[in-house]
Amino acid sequence: MKSPPFSYIRAESLEQAFDLIDQYGEEARILAGGQSLMATLNMRLSTPKILIDINKIGGMDQIKLDNDKIVVGALARHTKVANSSDIKKYAPLVSKALPHIAHQAIRNRGTFGGSIAFADPAAELPAVSLALEASFVLQSRNGIRTLPAKDFFLGLFDTALKKDEIIIAIEIPIIKDDENYSFMELSRRQGDYAIIGIAAQGNIKSGIFSNMRLAYFGAGDRPLIAQNAINILEGERHTAEVIKAVEESLSLDLDPMDDLNGPASMKMHLARVITSRTLAEISA
Amino acid sequence: MNDNINISLTVNGQKISRNVAARTNLVDFVRYELELTGSHVGCEHGVCGACTIRVDGSIVRGCLMLAAQADGSKVETIEGLSDSNEITDLQNEFHNSNALQCGFCTPGFLLTAQELLENNPSPSRNEIREFISGNYCRCTGYQAIVDAIEKVAKKRNN
């Protein structure tokens, strides 16, 4: 299908983007990489009056090391993030997740910030951000605020981003020496949205788990942290009993929905399978 | 508000200026405005890869990018890559390996395969499959397509 008619303005600066948001309000949508927005327009699921294209705003696609964190500009495209040696070194969980995001032609356009703002519950980067305890830098005309990922995702495609705000960067704490990570995703075709997936990172010292973060996608109406499972793991070794307890606890944390891939019970089963595989990999 | 946008871009080496409706996507622009019909329109929501076009050196979904966004860009389609002989070996090998049947998906596969071989001159069969995972072939010719790409990789490395 073709998208309904809309108008288009290219913002050359954040200032201009804020002006346009003020001017058009609810009728406007921000266009970043467009890899989800354009599809919803073509399917007429979304009918904005005007698109504000922020792709040409300078300096918002940089990846920079800043003391103990790595700062990814919101407009950094997935391919750029995938090719970044700093990301590979300091945020390897992101590198591991990126090949699972759609396909090359889409990764060449899609942006990190766009994926966060869209907040698809089956998308990789929102869950990865939770597992990394990343924060999002949100700017409006009134200033800048930084919000932890855990406070950002509120529900189905619903976030704490206010109507007059734009995500300008993602701040990721760099991986610590005694941390390990893993990422697993089940999908029908390489690059399709996940049936279920997990992004995990945490401390594993002398075989003992601590400060683990298990974040799931495709497991509910938003990316979810499995806090009960994390509590069980704290201070424990990788034993059959611990893993069993973790698997059993997942029904408290996750809330998958029936969809075309299968029933919720199947997804819950698959969540347990990838959780045990992930924890085995992290503790190996 | 701008319902129509003036754009200037390079398409297959030729400088082009047009006034386009804001909602026109890139693949419809090259097909209907420039009559370059080698890029195909399949699903129109980014799943099938038939509309693959190269913009500033990287493949994109022609249905998920506006023509307005290609202003100032260097756009290349299957016609351009054909005429410059950049992918003649891939085209010949797709033919020889029976890697196409109806041919609808083939321009997209060729552009995708070319980007793979530029990034990774010696891909494994798994890497080839992963890279072409965003392109659908409904004549189910994947085995032959992987064969063709693998053969061209080997030939280019000799």
Side-chain angles (χ1 to χ4, degrees):
Chain A
M1 250 162 46
K2 309 294 179 195
S3 65
F6 51 77
S7 297
Y8 168 94
I9 295 188
R10 186 187 301 146
E12 308 287 344
S13 65
L14 275 173
E15 258 326 291
Q16 193 193 349
F18 296 136
D19 285 345
L20 292 165
I21 292 170
D22 278 354
Q23 192 178 342
Y24 296 106
E26 295 282 341
E27 299 192 323
R29 286 291 297 272
I30 300 286
L31 174 62
Q35 300 304 286
S36 300
L37 177 56
M38 286 287 299
T40 62
L41 289 170
N42 289 350
M43 292 190 278
R44 303 203 171 198
L45 298 171
S46 166
T47 53
K49 289 276 190 314
I50 182 162
L51 296 187
I52 302 171
D53 185 354
I54 60 169
N55 280 276
K56 291 286 161 76
I57 296 179
M60 258 173 63
D61 64 345
Q62 302 300 306
I63 300 168
K64 282 181 288 201
L65 205 56
D66 177 13
N67 294 315
D68 57 351
K69 57 183 187 264
I70 184 157
V71 182
V72 181
L75 288 177
R77 300 192 196 278
H78 300 315
T79 299
K80 178 172 181 157
V81 179
N83 292 335
S84 159
S85 54
D86 279 343
I87 292 285
K88 279 189 192 112
K89 191 168 171 192
Y90 299 113
L93 176 59
V94 175
S95 299
K96 192 148 191 214
L98 277 167
H100 295 271
I101 302 175
H103 314 283
Q104 184 67 25
I106 289 172
R107 291 194 293 270
N108 283 341
R109 289 292 297 169
T111 65
F112 203 131
S115 173
I116 298 303
F118 189 56
D120 191 305
E124 293 82 1
L125 290 179
V128 166
S129 299
L130 282 176
L132 289 171
E133 296 181 321
S135 295
F136 307 133
V137 184
L138 316 178
Q139 189 170 344
S140 72
R141 189 186 299 292
N142 303 321
I144 291 180
R145 65 179 177 134
T146 302
L147 202 63
K150 68 177 171 53
D151 298 329
F152 184 80
F153 301 104
L154 303 180
L156 190 63
F157 299 108
D158 187 19
T159 71
L161 191 68
K162 291 183 185 146
K163 297 218 173 342
D164 61 347
E165 285 178 321
I166 293 175
I167 302 178
I168 60 162
I170 296 90
E171 296 181 345
I172 302 170
I174 66 175
I175 189 166
K176 298 182 185 74
D177 288 341
D178 49 11
E179 280 189 319
N180 203 355
Y181 63 93
S182 180
F183 181 93
M184 283 184 200
E185 171 173 340
L186 299 174
S187 61
R188 292 209 170 223
R189 175 178 69 150
Q190 164 75 33
D192 280 358
Y193 273 114
I195 299 169
I196 189 96
I198 178 171
Q201 186 161 311
N203 190 299
I204 179 90
K205 212 162 147 187
S206 315
I208 295 171
F209 292 110
S210 71
N211 192 27
M212 288 299 302
R213 283 95 67 190
L214 308 180
Y216 293 80
F217 49 107
D221 66 351
R222 74 196 95 162
L224 292 170
I225 283 273
Q227 195 56 51
N228 286 286
I230 291 167
N231 294 345
I232 291 168
L233 282 171
E234 187 64 31
E236 296 289 341
R237 289 177 180 280
H238 186 275
T239 64
E241 294 74 45
V242 168
I243 298 305
K244 188 156 183 288
V246 165
E247 287 181 1
E248 280 169 4
S249 76
L250 287 177
S251 57
L252 303 171
D253 291 312
L254 308 184
D255 186 20
M257 291 170 270
D258 297 342
D259 65 17
L260 292 173
N261 287 311
S265 59
M266 180 196 83
K267 292 186 172 191
M268 190 58 85
H269 168 73
L270 295 175
R272 294 187 176 113
V273 171
I274 58 174
T275 301
S276 63
R277 287 182 189 167
T278 294
L279 293 173
E281 190 178 295
I282 283 183
S283 61
Chain B
M1 293 225 205
N2 302 311
D3 296 329
N4 281 65
I5 320 286
N6 289 317
I7 58 171
S8 296
L9 63 165
T10 311
V11 179
N12 298 330
Q14 215 178 336
K15 282 194 179 147
I16 285 173
S17 294
R18 287 283 194 287
N19 183 267
V20 296
R23 69 166 169 164
T24 308
N25 65 36
L26 187 57
V27 66
D28 282 342
F29 173 72
V30 301
R31 283 177 59 82
Y32 298 113
E33 192 66 37
L34 307 182
E35 298 185 347
L36 296 168
T37 54
S39 311
H40 293 153
V41 176
C43 70
E44 299 190 303
H45 60 276
V47 175
C48 77
C51 62
T52 306
I53 291 174
R54 200 155 74 179
V55 178
D56 295 326
S58 300
I59 54 169
V60 304
R61 295 281 202 243
C63 70
L64 296 185
M65 182 172 173
L66 297 172
Q69 293 184 285
D71 184 31
S73 291
K74 183 181 158 199
V75 171
E76 293 162 287
T77 66
I78 185 65
E79 289 88 350
L81 270 72
S82 275
D83 291 348
S84 69
N85 290 329
E86 182 184 333
I87 54 164
T88 306
D89 52 355
L90 273 168
Q91 289 168 309
N92 288 338
E93 199 52 62
F94 267 58
H95 180 194
N96 293 335
S97 301
N98 292 319
L100 66 153
Q101 200 175 125
C102 81
F104 185 83
C105 69
T106 311
F109 268 101
L110 289 167
L111 264 69
T112 303
Q114 177 64 2
E115 180 151 320
L116 167 65
L117 297 181
E118 282 176 343
N119 294 344
N120 179 0
S122 308
S124 66
R125 287 182 75 85
N126 271 346
E127 287 171 330
I128 295 172
R129 283 190 176 273
E130 215 172 289
F131 207 91
I132 63 171
S133 65
N135 292 71
Y136 271 144
C137 168
R138 294 292 75 178
C139 307
T140 63
Y142 298 108
Q143 192 72 16
I145 290 169
V146 175
D147 288 347
I149 296 170
E150 192 181 31
K151 282 179 195 164
V152 171
K154 283 182 182 149
K155 282 183 190 164
R156 286 190 187 179
N157 288 331
N158 278 334

